[in-house]
């Protein structure tokens, strides 16, 4: 009668085989583009102003944003909401390219008083006109940092999947 070696039961062999097959899957790394996809809450200081709000990168290369810009302007508190859509991709050099397609400013105040519709339209037009960026970035499962190339940028925390 042959001596039985520990671990040669069929269930042990199946478990070992399943483990061996799943190891490459478990260690498979997500690409940067796959990690970027999802819903984020971002904050981006720019001088005295801060843009903060939601940004969602979709797997199809589109994105949406709903941000609030706040800060003092000539000593008065400014609050402007900006919403819109964009396209995005990661170029061959690993840079994140964003291009704003639409931008609207549905509301805003300065010193607690509503901003005129023309001012909101001008603000949205400026955002769209300056809405192409090519940025270095870092991303993991929970954080996305998009560099502005001047030591700052957008600091984002994952809210959920796209």
């Amino acid at each position: 009668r042959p001596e039985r070696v520990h671990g040669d039961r069929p269930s042990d062999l199946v478990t070992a085989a399943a483990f061996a097959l799943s190891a490459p899957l478990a260690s498979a790394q997500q690409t940067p583009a796959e990690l970027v996809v999802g819903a984020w809450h971002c904050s981006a200081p720019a001088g005295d102003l801060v843009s903060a709000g939601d940004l969602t990168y979709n797997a199809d290369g589109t994105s949406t944003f709903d941000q609030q810009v706040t800060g003092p302007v000539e000593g008065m508190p400014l609050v402007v909401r900006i919403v819109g859509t964009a396209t995005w991709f990661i170029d061959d050099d690993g840079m994140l390219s964003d291009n704003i397609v639409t931008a609207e400013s549905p509301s805003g105040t300065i010193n607690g008083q509503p901003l005129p519709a023309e001012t909101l339209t001008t603000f949205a037009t400026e955002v769209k006109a300056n809405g192409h960026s090519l940025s270095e970035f870092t991303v993991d499962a929970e954080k996305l940092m998009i560099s502005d190339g001047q030591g700052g940028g957008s600091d984002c925390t994952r809210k959920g999947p796209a």
Side-chain angles (χ1 to χ4, degrees):
R1 178 172 188 184
E3 185 177 320
R4 187 162 181 102
V5 177
H6 177 69
D8 67 349
R9 293 173 293 166
S11 62
D12 290 336
L13 296 174
V14 170
T15 302
F19 180 76
L21 289 173
S22 67
L25 298 176
S27 65
Q29 297 287 323
Q30 286 184 293
T31 66
E34 290 169 333
L35 285 168
V36 166
V37 170
W40 301 90
H41 180 80
C42 301
S43 179
D48 289 338
L49 300 177
V50 174
S51 176
D54 296 334
L55 172 61
T56 300
Y57 285 103
N58 301 305
D60 67 359
T62 62
S63 62
T64 59
F65 58 91
D66 187 341
Q67 304 275 304
Q68 189 164 302
V69 177
T70 59
V73 173
E74 296 180 11
M76 297 180 287
L78 172 75
V79 178
V80 177
R81 183 172 171 221
I82 184 90
V83 297
T85 62
T87 59
W88 72 277
F89 65 93
I90 298 174
D91 75 5
D92 293 339
D93 294 324
M95 303 282 278
L96 178 63
S97 176
D98 282 295
N99 189 44
I100 294 176
V101 176
T102 65
E104 296 177 18
S105 288
S107 61
T109 61
I110 189 155
N111 209 27
Q113 299 300 311
L115 286 168
E118 310 83 59
T119 302
L120 294 172
T121 300
T122 300
F123 187 81
T125 300
E126 285 294 315
V127 167
K128 186 174 178 213
N130 294 302
H132 177 74
S133 62
L134 189 60
S135 309
E136 291 183 353
F137 71 101
T138 58
V139 64
D140 64 29
E142 300 301 321
K143 293 291 231 176
L144 170 64
M145 175 61 191
I146 304 168
S147 173
D148 66 5
Q150 300 172 1
S154 296
D155 184 14
C156 306
T157 303
R158 187 176 300 278
K159 291 178 57 175

